[in-house]
Amino acid sequence: MTPDELRAACLALNGAVEEYPFPRNPDVAVYKVGGKIFALSALPVTPLSVSLKCEPELALRLRAEHPCIVGGYHLNKRHWNTVTLDGSLPDRMVEEMIEDSYDLIVAALPRHRRLLLDWPGEHADGEDPR
């Protein structure tokens, strides 16, 4: 996955925005939804990596199964993984981890914000709000 592909995968999610909030680290892109971070990446750094939120048990399992996934760099390692995008994981798996991180953040937003995002998880009971 290239930096452009990573950026596109993050920004493809409904309501996602990209910010560069760290003056001391101007190359660190932060991807947010509802004002909350779901992904961080220093896009021009090689090898490319991305930090993503993850369910704690799944985070541990992914780290055990994939050497390119470690506890979140400078983040709460219980809830965040840093994934080195060295080609050892299929792009689709990385995209799914990005979507999972986004979903964890959106699920914690107030209901009215989830509704504004038209988040599928809000309608997981099969009820169509229209």
Side-chain angles (χ1 to χ4, degrees):
M1 182 172 277
T2 68
D4 288 339
E5 291 168 337
L6 174 61
R7 182 175 188 268
C10 290
L11 292 175
L13 300 168
N14 202 11
V17 296
E18 178 183 54
E19 297 178 1
Y20 291 84
F22 306 116
R24 289 183 155 185
N25 296 305
D27 294 331
V28 175
V30 173
Y31 298 93
K32 296 181 175 182
V33 61
K36 305 290 184 181
I37 298 171
F38 70 90
L40 299 98
S41 181
L43 294 176
V45 175
T46 303
L48 181 63
S49 67
V50 62
S51 293
L52 301 165
K53 192 155 187 163
C54 191
E55 291 284 348
E57 295 85 25
L58 178 58
L60 291 173
R61 192 169 68 240
L62 289 170
R63 291 176 208 161
E65 294 172 2
H66 305 282
C68 65
I69 300 176
V70 297
Y73 181 70
H74 286 295
L75 296 163
N76 181 331
K77 289 168 182 32
R78 182 165 190 260
H79 296 279
W80 289 85
N81 279 338
T82 296
V83 182
T84 301
L85 304 176
D86 59 6
S88 62
L89 296 178
D91 286 354
R92 184 64 202 139
M93 182 177 177
V94 176
E95 291 165 0
E96 288 171 358
M97 287 189 289
I98 292 168
E99 291 166 9
D100 288 348
S101 180
Y102 171 91
D103 286 343
L104 286 169
I105 298 302
V106 174
L109 294 174
R111 184 170 191 270
H112 73 276
R113 296 193 78 185
R114 293 191 309 261
L115 289 170
L116 289 173
L117 292 169
D118 196 29
W119 181 56
E122 187 61 33
H123 313 295
D125 60 0
E127 180 181 321
D128 188 342
R130 290 172 252 174

